[in-house]
Amino acid sequence: MDLWLYILLFVVFLLLRVPVAFAMIASSMLYFYSHGLSAGYAISSIVNGINSFPLLAVPLFIFVGTIANNLGIATRLYDLARALLPRLPGNLAYVNLGTAIGFSWISGSALADAASTSKVQIPQMLKAGYPYGFSSGLTAAGSLMSTVMPPSIPAVLFAATASISTGALFAGSIIPAMLMAVGLALYIFIWVRRHPDVAHSRPFDGGMLGKAAVRVIGPALLPVIILGGIFSGLFTATESAGIAAVYMLLLGVIYRTLTWKVFWKSAKETVVIAGGILLILGASNLMGQVLAREQVSRALGEWLTGFTDNPVVFLLMLNVLLILLGIPLEAPPVILVLVPILMPIVAQFGIDPVQLGVIMILNLMIGSLTPPVGAVLFVVGSITRRPMGELFRGILPFLIPLGTVLLLLTLFPVIVTFLPSLLGLL
C-alpha cells in the first residue's frame, strides 16, 4: 500500500464518521498487512504508545477537572468575581471572564470549563439584559484558557510526545494565557462602551466579598501546590497530578459536597474522557510507525526548507494548517500525530519546542471555537439549547483578540520562552 492510498483510506474512514482512533487503527492495520507485518507488531505498537509514566498525569488531571466541576468550584469562583466587581460597568461580562481565569488554573480542559461555566454564567447574563450571542461567545472563548493555562491536558500530551519538560511547557503557557485574558477584557471594554444599556452596576457589599473570598481559599491553593511543586523541583508533573487529585477529594470532604454519587460520576467521566484520549494515543503511535517507515518527516522537512528558510513564514503556514485541523478534530489526535512529524522540522528552523507547543495548542483551541463544527461551540449550544446560528454569530468577534495573541506568539517567541528561561527550565 502506497502512502497516498493509506492517507486516502484514513480520510474515507473519517468521512464515514468512524471514530478517529479506530480510523487510525484500521488504516494502519491494512498498511501493515500489505507489507507483510503481523498483527502482533501492530498491537505492541499500540500498547507501547501508552506505556509512559508522564502520561499518568492525563487521567489524574482530568479527574481534578471533573471533580472540581461536580463539587461546584465554578460557582464559588463566580461568586467571588461578582463580589469583587460590582461597580464596574458591564460587570457580569468581566465576572464571566474572571471565573474562566480562575477555573483555568484547575480544570485543564476547555470542554469541561465550557460545560461548567455555561450553566452558571449565561443564564445570569441573559437576565441582566446581555444578548445571547455575546454571553455565549464570551463563555466559549474564555473556556479556551483552560487548555493553555497549566495544568493543561494538551500540554501534558505534547510534552510526552515531544519528549520535552512538562514544567517548561507549563511555565511557557502562563504569559500567553494571561494575554488571552487581556485581549478578551479589551474586547469586553469596547463592547460595553458601545452597549451602555447593560453597563449598570450595583453597590459594593464587603460582607459578600468576605464570604466569597473564604469560600475560594481552598481551590485557590491548588495551582500554588501544582506549579509551586513542579517549578521548585519537589515533584514531577505526574506526581503533582496525583497530589492535586487527593487535594480535591479532601476539599470535597471539608466542604461536605463530596458524596459517593459525586465521586462515582466524576470517576465515570474521567474514565470516558481519559480512555478516549489514551486509545487515540495508542492508535497515533501505530500511525506514527507508518509515517516513519514512509519517511514523511524527512520528505516534508525537505519540501518546507526548499519552500522557505524563514521560521516565521513556516510558523504562519503551520498556524493556518492547525486551525483548519482543529475545526473538525479535537486537539489530542492532532497533537499525537503531527508532533513526531514536526519536531525534526522545527529543529531545522531553530524553533524552540516550547514555543511550538504553546502555538500548536492555541491554534487547535481556536479551531475548536470556529464555526461550523467547533467542539466547544457544540458543548455550549447543547447546554443552552438555543439555535447554533446565534452562537456562531456571537463567537466571531472573539476570534479577533485570540488570533491577535496567536500572531504575537508567532512573531515574538520570547513571550513563551521568557518564564521557562527565568525559572531555569530551558
Side-chain angles (χ1 to χ4, degrees):
M1 182 187 292
D2 293 330
L3 179 62
W4 68 268
L5 182 58
Y6 169 78
I7 295 174
L8 178 62
L9 187 60
F10 175 64
V11 172
V12 168
F13 281 133
L14 291 180
L15 293 176
L16 292 174
R17 297 187 177 274
V18 175
V20 174
F22 294 113
M24 290 178 178
I25 293 172
S27 53
S28 299
M29 291 287 282
L30 289 172
Y31 175 91
F32 286 141
Y33 177 78
S34 69
H35 285 75
L37 296 173
S38 67
Y41 175 81
I43 294 172
S44 66
S45 296
I46 295 174
V47 174
N48 290 334
I50 59 176
N51 186 20
S52 171
F53 176 73
L55 289 175
L56 287 174
V58 173
L60 290 170
F61 277 134
I62 291 173
F63 179 73
V64 170
T66 56
I67 195 72
N69 189 6
N70 292 321
L71 290 177
I73 300 300
T75 303
R76 292 170 179 262
L77 295 171
Y78 172 81
D79 292 341
L80 175 64
R82 192 167 187 184
L84 276 171
L85 306 169
R87 295 184 179 274
L88 195 63
N91 61 84
L92 280 185
Y94 292 103
V95 167
N96 189 315
L97 179 59
T99 306
I101 295 171
F103 204 66
S104 70
W105 290 100
I106 300 171
S107 170
S109 167
L111 298 181
D113 191 346
S116 178
T117 55
S118 294
K119 300 172 185 176
V120 179
Q121 314 267 18
I122 296 177
Q124 294 294 331
M125 293 183 72
L126 293 178
K127 275 185 193 178
Y130 290 82
Y132 171 75
F134 176 79
S135 305
S136 56
L138 174 59
T139 303
S143 71
L144 298 196
M145 283 185 289
S146 288
T147 49
V148 179
M149 186 78 79
S152 161
I153 304 301
V156 174
L157 292 174
F158 183 95
T161 309
S163 299
I164 65 172
S165 166
T166 305
L169 189 52
F170 277 2
S173 302
I174 293 175
I175 295 178
M178 297 312 297
L179 286 176
M180 293 169 63
V182 171
L184 293 174
L186 286 174
Y187 177 73
I188 293 172
F189 176 79
I190 295 170
W191 188 90
V192 170
R193 290 288 297 270
R194 297 176 61 186
H195 297 80
D197 52 310
V198 298
H200 47 76
S201 59
R202 58 186 179 80
F204 176 78
D205 187 338
M208 176 188 242
L209 176 59
K211 292 178 182 178
V214 170
R215 282 165 51 85
V216 299
I217 290 177
L221 290 176
L222 182 63
V224 176
I225 294 171
I226 294 175
L227 300 183
I230 294 174
F231 296 158
S232 66
L234 288 177
F235 39 76
T236 66
T238 305
E239 292 165 343
S240 75
I243 293 170
V246 173
Y247 181 76
M248 288 305 299
L249 291 174
L250 289 175
L251 280 185
V253 172
I254 293 170
Y255 293 154
R256 298 183 180 180
T257 53
L258 179 63
T259 63
W260 280 112
K261 183 178 180 180
V262 168
F263 178 82
W264 184 246
K265 181 182 179 183
S266 302
K268 285 199 299 182
E269 291 175 0
T270 301
V271 169
V272 170
I273 299 171
I277 291 175
L278 293 177
L279 181 59
I280 290 172
L281 178 57
S284 66
N285 190 59
L286 187 62
M287 176 176 276
Q289 298 284 336
V290 175
L291 299 178
R293 287 176 62 89
E294 295 291 336
Q295 299 183 339
V296 171
S297 295
R298 182 178 63 81
L300 186 58
E302 290 176 354
W303 179 80
L304 286 170
T305 51
F307 180 81
T308 179
D309 58 358
N310 189 319
V312 175
V313 174
F314 164 72
L315 286 176
L316 290 173
M317 293 168 55
L318 184 62
N319 285 343
V320 176
L321 172 64
L322 290 173
I323 288 177
L324 292 176
L325 290 174
I327 294 174
L329 300 174
E330 293 187 25
V334 179
I335 290 173
L336 297 170
V337 171
L338 285 189
V339 168
I341 297 174
L342 292 174
M343 288 303 290
I345 299 173
V346 298
Q348 295 180 54
F349 281 100
I351 298 169
D352 193 292
V354 174
Q355 183 194 12
L356 174 67
V358 177
I359 287 176
M360 191 171 193
I361 292 168
L362 181 53
N363 266 300
L364 294 172
M365 289 302 101
I366 291 175
S368 73
L369 204 65
T370 304
V373 290
V376 172
L377 297 180
F378 280 91
V379 169
V380 175
S382 65
I383 290 174
T384 56
R385 299 183 183 278
R386 295 282 289 265
M388 292 301 296
E390 292 183 61
L391 179 54
F392 289 166
R393 290 189 294 272
I395 196 58
L396 291 178
F398 291 97
L399 296 178
I400 297 174
L402 296 176
T404 302
V405 173
L406 177 59
L407 184 60
L408 290 174
L409 301 183
T410 302
L411 298 177
F412 305 104
V414 68
I415 297 174
V416 176
T417 59
F418 170 74
L419 198 52
S421 299
L422 184 66
L423 296 172
L425 298 171
L426 285 181

